């Protein structure tokens, strides 16, 4: 049993506990710690009443409300190995009516594990999941603990985008007969939308929305409803991509990185028929968690992308056309930023794996 330490959160969003003031490009903002003592936290889901849920990779799901953090029962069994475990959580758009949430996790399978998506109802008491159903399971699974992805994003029409890594099998990302190295799109019941790009091709998995990805661990919609994804390169070549249906994002045929051995990857940095990233990092920052900001609290940041760095311990702000990194929000609190989300009031929340904590950025 993990020991969980919660900082009191009041209904007016003031925090009884640790807070600080940091300097940014929009001036001074307040940085507050809202929960600490977490064990490898992976994702945050903020509920309509401003309470929130946190996943821990070893399989724990925590609910934080009114100064208390408690364990949620009914979580699916996970294969907690390497990068695998209990991963993303997304609150359904119609949560107020359905109380549904979506989880991604590494599901135990014969010979290993695979990325899976479940939907469940969150109890009124906040202590358990009920009516849990697995609505998607990547094919094939595999041994090893690398490159599961995995973010789940609900589009405005209720369909779900799920990012899936290549599981260390590089050629699989170009093979459309499997789900590895892909962004997929399904309906909330797990069925396939009729307007998916390959739905009428019998040689392609119908759930595939885009392919040629390595390990996408950040995803979010912009104000136009377009999907943006951040993904890990090898040694160099971390990318931010604007996802188009049916598009090929190149891995492992093209990349701006090299193998960890120093050897060249594929055929170079470009090839006809393959997409170019909107931004790439070299050296790698290990991006995980991506937010396209609404501008609600800080209008100057409207439409900007915020991406967490696991390697260099900062939050990157990207802006402009062409897209480029224009600011680094950095401090002890940004140690290994895994997830970054926006609350309904426009505040920005992020997970620091290094600190075992969740932080909230808000106006003074």
């Amino acid at each position: 049993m993990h020991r969980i330490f919660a900082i009191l959160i009041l209904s007016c969003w003031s925090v009884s506990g640790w807070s600080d003031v940091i300097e940014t490009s929009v001036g001074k903002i307040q940085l507050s710690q809202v929960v600490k003592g977490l064990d490898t936290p992976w994702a945050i889901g903020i509920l309509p009443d401003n309470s929130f849920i946190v996943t821990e990779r070893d399989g724990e799901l925590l609910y934080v409300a009114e100064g208390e953090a408690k364990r949620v029962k009914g979580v699916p069994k996970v294969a907690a190995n390497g990068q695998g475990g209990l991963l993303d959580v997304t609150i359904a758009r119609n949560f107020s009516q359905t109380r549904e949430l979506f989880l991604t996790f590494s599901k135990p399978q014969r010979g290993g594990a695979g990325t899976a998506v479940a939907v469940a109802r969150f109890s009124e008491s906040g202590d358990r999941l009920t009516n849990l159903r697995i609505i998607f399971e990547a094919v094939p699974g595999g041994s090893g603990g690398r490159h599961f992805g995995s973010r789940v994003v609900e589009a405005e029409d209720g369909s779900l985008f799920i990012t899936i890594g290549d599981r260390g099998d590089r050629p699989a990302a170009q093979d459309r007969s499997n789900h590895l190295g892909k962004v997929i799109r399904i309906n909330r019941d797990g069925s396939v939308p009729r307007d998916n790009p390959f739905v009428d091709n019998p040689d392609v998995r119908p759930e595939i929305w885009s392919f040629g990805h390595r390990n996408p661990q950040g995803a979010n919609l912009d104000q136009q409803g377009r999907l943006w994804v951040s993904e890990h390169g090898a040694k160099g070549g971390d990318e931010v991509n604007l996802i188009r249906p049916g598009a090929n994002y190149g891995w492992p045929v093209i990349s701006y990185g090299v193998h960890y051995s120093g050897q060249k990857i594929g055929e170079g940095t470009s090839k006809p028929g393959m997409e170019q990233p909107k931004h790439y990092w070299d050296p790698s920052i290990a991006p995980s968690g991506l937010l396209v900001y609404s501008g609600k609290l800080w209008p100057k940041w409207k439409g900007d992308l915020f991406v967490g760095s696991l390697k260099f311990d900062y939050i990157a702000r990207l802006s402009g056309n062409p897209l480029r990194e224009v600011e680094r929000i950095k401090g002890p609190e940004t140690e290994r930023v895994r997830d970054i989300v926006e609350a309904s009031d426009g505040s920005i929340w992020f997970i620091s794996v290094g600190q075992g904590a969740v932080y909230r950025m808000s106006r003074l």
Side-chain angles (χ1 to χ4, degrees), residues 269-283:
T269 59
S270 65
K271 186 174 182 177
M274 295 185 178
E275 300 294 310
Q276 284 290 299
K278 293 299 183 183
H279 180 78
Y280 73 91
W281 287 275
D282 190 7

Side-chain angles (χ1 to χ4, degrees), residues 18 58 83 119 156 188 275 279 283 291 303 307-308 315 360:
W18 181 94
D58 65 0
Q83 297 171 4
V119 60
E156 293 179 1
R188 280 179 54 161
E275 300 294 310
H279 180 78
L291 166 68
V307 178
I315 297 171
R360 175 178 180 262

Side-chain angles (χ1 to χ4, degrees), residues 137-181:
E137 190 171 338
V139 176
S143 60
R146 291 191 294 165
H147 300 183
F148 289 92
S150 63
R151 297 288 174 189
V152 54
V153 176
E154 184 183 4
E156 293 179 1
D157 65 1
S159 62
L160 303 175
F161 293 109
I162 298 101
T163 69
I164 303 171
D166 68 3
R167 299 303 314 286
D169 180 359
R170 293 189 293 271
Q174 290 293 318
D175 181 356
R176 292 176 294 170
S177 69
N178 67 68
H179 296 122
L180 306 186

Side-chain angles (χ1 to χ4, degrees), residues 43-96:
I44 323 163
I46 303 176
L47 301 175
D49 64 358
N50 294 326
S51 59
F52 62 98
I53 291 173
V54 183
T55 64
E56 293 183 314
R57 202 169 61 198
D58 65 0
E60 298 282 9
L61 188 67
L62 304 176
Y63 174 53
V64 184
E66 298 180 349
E68 180 185 4
K70 57 186 175 182
R71 180 175 177 266
V72 178
K73 299 177 183 178
V75 178
K77 183 179 179 181
V78 305
N81 175 32
Q83 297 171 4
L86 183 60
L87 302 173
D88 204 14
V89 58
T90 292
I91 310 303
R93 289 180 180 271
N94 63 350
F95 179 86
S96 297

Side-chain angles (χ1 to χ4, degrees), residues 19 49 63 82 90 151 156 158 173 177 180 189 219-220 228 241 252 258-259 265 307 312 339:
S19 66
D49 64 358
Y63 174 53
T90 292
R151 297 288 174 189
E156 293 179 1
S177 69
L180 306 186
D189 63 359
N220 197 215
W228 291 80
N241 286 301
V258 297
H259 293 300
I265 292 174
V307 178
F312 293 127
D339 195 16

Side-chain angles (χ1 to χ4, degrees), residues 136 149 151-153 160-166 173 178-186 196-198 205-219 221 227-231 241-247 249:
F136 173 80
R151 297 288 174 189
V152 54
V153 176
L160 303 175
F161 293 109
I162 298 101
T163 69
I164 303 171
D166 68 3
N178 67 68
H179 296 122
L180 306 186
K182 313 298 192 298
V183 174
I184 69 154
R185 178 174 174 254
I186 58 175
N196 272 11
F198 303 113
R205 292 279 175 178
E207 300 89 353
I208 294 175
W209 188 253
S210 64
F211 63 106
H213 301 282
R214 185 173 182 269
N215 189 25
Q217 287 192 340
L221 302 175
L227 181 68
W228 291 80
V229 164
S230 60
E231 56 187 283
N241 286 301
L242 177 59
I243 304 302
R244 294 192 304 107
Y249 288 82

Side-chain angles (χ1 to χ4, degrees), residues 14-15 32 41 43 73 141 170 181 188 192-193 237 241 252 256-257 287 289 317 341:
S14 64
V15 177
S32 306
K73 299 177 183 178
R170 293 189 293 271
R188 280 179 54 161
V192 177
N241 286 301
Y256 284 90
R317 182 172 68 87
V341 301

